[in-house]
Amino acid sequence: MKKILVTGSVGQIGSELTMLLRKMYGNDNVVAGINRTQPTGQLKESGPYEKADCTNAQQIAAVVKKYKIDTIYHLAAILSAVAEAKPGLAWNVNINGLYNVLEIAREHNCSVFVPSSIGAFGPNTPQDNTPQDTIQRPNTMYGVTKVAGELLCDYYYKKFGVDTRGVRYPGIISNETLPGGGTTDYAVDIYYEAIKNKRYTCFLKPGTFLDMMYMPDALKAAVDLMEADPNKLKHRNAFNVTSMSVDPEMMAESIRKHIPEFEIDYDVDPVRQEIADSWPNNMDDSAATEEWGWSYEYDLDKMTADMLKVLSEKLKK
Ligand code: SER
């Protein structure tokens, strides 16, 4: 049985991935790595949790030794909008933190899952059907750290044989834990506001197309890639994965199928708009499909139906 550490386990993806991994591999075999935010509820009660700040190599190493960890899902990261406001913090967490995790993985023979992002692309990248291997050159601090992270993961595999694997996530939409400071966060906020106020003021312009994905598919991508036959992987890291390419108007239209009076208006945030404009409209994820069988379950309307159902219940409480 695998022994897993999830860094960033109280974050948007971590909080749900940790619970899924506990279901799959047993509660006691999945350690929730935390930093400043304490776990609560199920996450806290269902299995072990430990302080595991990725910028503190000793702390990570101690957890890996204590639980004989062989697999690390390294989710602790600073997202794009926060990274623009705090570039030093983004460098420290996204680069130095990743370096620490990879070094510990090398020493203790751990497999490592590391998410990259649509943010690893830049304004010179072909924006439509963005190929797996293409020009990147992002112009955000987030993107700089994500490209460097992709390369570092490839390097640790080639040079030291560390089993690194990863995907380029699009914007992730979820109903459990809010995302923290990303450019794609509007696509989560819009559902909360649709239920609470039947209107939403969006910080990105209409016509801003970005790749998105519903959380169940994001979790499936991580787990399926980590379970994939390594002999079939030509790439190891930074697989493009996507479920839909949408703009705010399309999301509003999808919500109106359930809440006809829903209205959207716009108050554009120039920082996040510039970031979004530098990212792909839609990625080609055929390499992920060919090499490890990637497919998604939720398109926009299926996701909207589920988001509105789950959030209506949650916000009633
Ligand atoms: N959702 C992330 C962000 O907006 C992209 O990886 O920063």
Side-chain angles (χ1 to χ4, degrees):
M1 191 54 93
K2 283 183 198 283
K3 288 278 192 181
I4 299 172
L5 167 64
V6 182
T7 70
S9 70
V10 294
Q12 186 197 11
I13 300 176
S15 57
E16 296 199 43
L17 183 63
T18 305
M19 294 308 297
L20 174 67
L21 294 171
R22 282 182 176 165
K23 228 178 259 161
M24 293 176 66
Y25 302 107
N27 286 349
D28 295 341
N29 294 324
V30 181
V31 181
I34 60 162
N35 188 11
R36 277 186 219 123
T37 312
Q38 290 299 313
T40 54
Q42 275 279 87
L43 185 64
K44 181 176 175 184
E45 271 128 45
S46 61
Y49 63 93
E50 292 281 349
K51 187 93 199 274
D53 170 3
C54 65
T55 65
N56 182 336
Q58 282 93 343
Q59 213 169 69
I60 299 282
V63 178
V64 166
K65 275 188 221 150
K66 179 173 169 188
Y67 291 89
K68 301 192 170 50
I69 297 294
D70 56 35
T71 305
I72 304 172
Y73 284 80
H74 178 46
L75 302 182
I78 301 295
L79 292 186
S80 58
V82 177
E84 283 313 283
K86 298 178 180 169
L89 175 71
W91 182 269
N92 197 26
V93 174
N94 296 4
I95 295 289
N96 296 336
L98 173 60
Y99 177 78
N100 290 338
V101 167
L102 290 171
E103 270 297 290
I104 290 159
R106 175 166 78 90
E107 210 176 307
H108 296 273
N109 207 12
C110 302
S111 302
V112 194
F113 175 80
V114 180
S116 185
S117 159
I118 48 174
F121 294 113
N124 304 327
T125 300
Q127 292 212 321
D128 292 309
N129 213 21
T130 304
Q132 175 64 41
D133 300 306
T134 186
I135 301 164
Q136 297 194 246
R137 303 201 69 79
N139 58 1
T140 62
M141 185 48 132
Y142 182 66
V144 169
T145 65
K146 286 293 166 187
V147 174
E150 293 180 359
L151 296 174
L152 206 55
C153 288
D154 280 346
Y155 180 81
Y156 267 72
Y157 170 65
K158 289 208 185 88
K159 183 90 178 173
F160 305 120
V162 177
D163 180 16
T164 56
R165 306 184 190 195
V167 297
R168 290 185 184 125
Y169 274 133
I172 305 296
I173 294 151
S174 65
N175 46 49
E176 185 78 35
T177 307
L178 288 169
T183 300
T184 55
D185 294 9
Y186 92 83
V188 178
D189 300 343
I190 194 170
Y191 288 105
Y192 281 81
E193 293 306 311
I195 291 168
K196 286 196 254 176
N197 302 316
K198 298 190 176 12
R199 56 174 306 119
Y200 178 62
T201 302
C202 187
F203 59 76
L204 295 182
K205 279 190 230 162
T208 309
F209 280 85
L210 291 168
D211 286 297
M212 301 281 177
M213 182 181 290
Y214 196 30
M215 184 61 91
D217 285 322
L219 303 182
K220 185 161 95 77
V223 169
D224 286 357
L225 176 56
M226 290 306 274
E227 290 288 344
D229 176 356
N231 296 322
K232 299 210 171 113
L233 301 179
K234 286 184 218 115
H235 300 82
R236 306 243 358 151
N237 297 292
F239 280 98
N240 288 357
V241 285
T242 182
S243 309
M244 63 193 92
S245 165
V246 295
D247 84 322
E249 293 286 304
M250 279 176 76
M251 299 206 73
E253 212 31 65
S254 181
I255 290 170
R256 274 187 213 113
K257 290 178 187 163
H258 304 263
I259 308 173
E261 61 277 43
F262 177 70
E263 279 175 28
I264 186 164
D265 63 3
Y266 295 90
D267 180 13
V268 173
D269 168 13
V271 174
R272 284 180 287 187
Q273 185 65 49
E274 197 185 333
I275 295 174
D277 288 342
S278 76
W279 290 354
N281 299 330
N282 65 286
M283 292 186 288
D284 170 9
D285 58 3
S286 52
T289 305
E290 278 155 29
E291 293 176 39
W292 49 278
W294 155 250
S295 68
Y296 64 87
E297 198 189 315
Y298 287 88
D299 62 12
L300 175 59
D301 284 339
K302 192 169 173 191
M303 173 180 77
T304 297
D306 199 60
M307 276 296 277
L308 293 176
K309 185 165 147 263
V310 174
L311 282 182
S312 309
E313 283 302 311
K314 184 174 166 177
L315 297 175
K316 246 190 238 161
K317 287 177 192 157

